[in-house]
Amino acid sequence: MLNMERLRTLDALARHGSVSGAAAGLHVTTSAVSQQMAKLEREVGQQLLAKNGRGVRLTDAGRLLAEHAGRILSQVELAQSDLEAHRGQVVGELRISAFPTAARGLLPRVLAALRAEHPGLRLRSQELEPELAVAGVVRGDLDLAVVLDWYNKPMPLPDGLVKAAILDDPADVAMPVDHPHAGRREVGLEDFADDEWITWGEGEFCHEWLLFTLRAKGVEPRIAHRAAETHTQLGLVAAGLGVCVAPRLGRDPVPDGVVTVPVRRRVRRHVYVVWRADADRRPSIRAAVKELQSAGASLGGDVAPGDGSPGDGSPGDGSPSEGES
């Protein structure tokens, strides 16, 4: 009898390409991965891993079993979804993540509403950046993830995931109250070519978006300070240390000494929720997506029907069409 946990380890090895990558994806030690693989090799009586320089690679037998493992794990997910759907009740455990400003400005009301409506549902939430959250959904560590991309820089999603729009989140430029542009009705990002910028961490999706967008306008930004949280960035702005892009979701209250001015050509983030296609029929997924979209609408988001919600028959791309440059 093949052990499911060992098959999950093999699947992670095939997807991540290394023991360290699989360990990180499964949130275990590299030693634990090696031990699981050694046990799996004894179970099947064949070598599944071979040395490849300092790392390892899957043997032909390893690749063959990994293909089966992926299908088996998907079938287990489908079986769980069907059982939940058969019961027709929103019960069990739901693991959800959101990026920081959504975790602050969106998720609390959603979790509270779900708990009130569905007392048999056990909710587990955490704050995660979009790239990590998507990886968690793919691995099966998360059931749902609230993620984002920008109007001019979409984030590619792996195959096997479904998404639904929650809201579009406009962003302004935040600047000190005595900044020369503080009294303007609108600004362009290029108007701050000579300013120091406060941005997100190196390599983060939003930081890369800012570089991409400013460089497209012929501006090489002067990055002075980095901070993951919007309110930390705004605190640095209040101290007169630079300007930042400030999305509106989860932003209030804006500290004293800071002015936010809309961008002339609307800058916005698409906020959406992703889940695995093989979990699409779970009542808990349906309930959570519905509650997220309801919360997005109450915040002024524009979510069209047929946007990838569970069971609507769409391909799952809930992002509205986008024409800005």
Side-chain angles (χ1 to χ4, degrees):
M1 180 69 70
L2 293 171
N3 178 280
M4 288 297 299
E5 195 57 39
R6 286 160 205 158
L7 289 180
R8 196 177 300 279
T9 302
L10 176 62
D11 179 65
L13 262 170
R15 286 188 288 102
H16 293 283
S18 68
V19 172
S20 59
L26 295 169
H27 302 288
V28 298
T29 64
T30 55
S31 175
V33 170
S34 298
Q35 289 173 20
Q36 290 279 43
M37 289 306 301
K39 291 177 181 177
L40 185 57
E41 286 183 328
R42 289 196 295 271
E43 283 180 354
V44 300
Q46 296 189 58
Q47 184 180 0
L48 303 176
L49 295 178
K51 288 188 177 180
N52 184 29
R54 293 186 177 181
V56 296
R57 61 173 176 82
L58 292 177
T59 63
D60 289 345
R63 286 194 298 272
L64 178 64
L65 185 56
E67 291 175 6
H68 284 289
R71 290 194 292 269
I72 289 168
L73 293 169
S74 181
Q75 283 299 120
V76 169
E77 182 73 47
L78 280 171
Q80 292 172 335
S81 297
D82 283 348
L83 283 171
E84 264 195 48
H86 185 263
R87 291 180 66 179
Q89 297 177 333
V90 181
V91 295
E93 182 175 80
L94 189 72
R95 301 157 299 170
I96 184 170
S97 76
F99 60 92
T101 50
R104 183 175 190 267
L106 182 71
L107 205 55
R109 70 177 69 191
V110 170
L111 296 177
L114 285 171
R115 187 172 65 175
E117 281 190 50
H118 309 289
L121 183 63
R122 299 188 305 277
L123 295 163
R124 302 288 181 267
S125 70
Q126 60 179 304
E127 185 179 289
L128 278 179
E129 292 295 338
E131 299 94 330
L132 294 175
V134 168
V137 174
V138 170
R139 289 193 306 267
D141 296 337
L142 293 167
D143 300 304
L144 290 164
V146 179
V147 298
L148 67 92
D149 56 24
W150 291 85
Y151 72 99
N152 60 342
K153 193 174 176 63
M155 182 174 68
L157 290 179
D159 292 339
L161 296 189
V162 181
K163 73 176 183 178
I166 298 175
L167 77 159
D168 279 355
D169 181 28
D172 307 314
V173 177
M175 64 200 78
V177 70
D178 58 356
H179 192 282
H181 299 329
R184 293 173 58 178
R185 293 181 59 186
E186 296 179 323
V187 291
L189 294 179
E190 65 275 12
D191 297 337
F192 301 89
D194 297 327
D195 284 89
E196 291 187 326
W197 281 91
I198 299 159
T199 182
W200 298 267
E202 183 72 38
E204 286 190 19
F205 185 76
C206 289
H207 171 73
E208 296 302 319
W209 164 81
L210 182 63
L211 297 183
F212 169 81
T213 303
L214 287 172
R215 286 169 179 168
K217 297 177 180 294
V219 175
E220 184 59 38
R222 298 165 55 200
I223 306 299
H225 307 283
R226 299 178 186 277
E229 295 286 347
T230 297
H231 282 82
T232 305
Q233 294 183 11
L234 291 174
L236 293 167
V237 172
L241 297 173
V243 300
C244 74
V245 171
R248 296 176 190 175
L249 179 64
R251 184 176 73 188
D252 292 336
V254 174
D256 293 339
V258 175
V259 171
T260 60
V261 180
V263 179
R264 187 178 304 114
R265 298 195 69 176
R266 193 176 177 214
V267 170
R268 58 197 174 106
R269 306 186 298 181
H270 302 314
V271 180
Y272 52 98
V273 57
V274 300
W275 65 95
R276 293 183 304 283
D278 54 18
D280 200 52
R281 285 172 282 187
R282 289 176 56 189
S284 56
I285 295 285
R286 293 168 178 259
V289 172
K290 179 181 177 182
E291 201 60 56
L292 283 162
Q293 291 186 318
S294 176
S298 73
L299 291 171
D302 182 15
V303 180
D307 58 359
S309 300
D312 71 3
S314 76
D317 185 351
S319 297
S321 60
E322 209 298 295
E324 289 109 331
S325 60

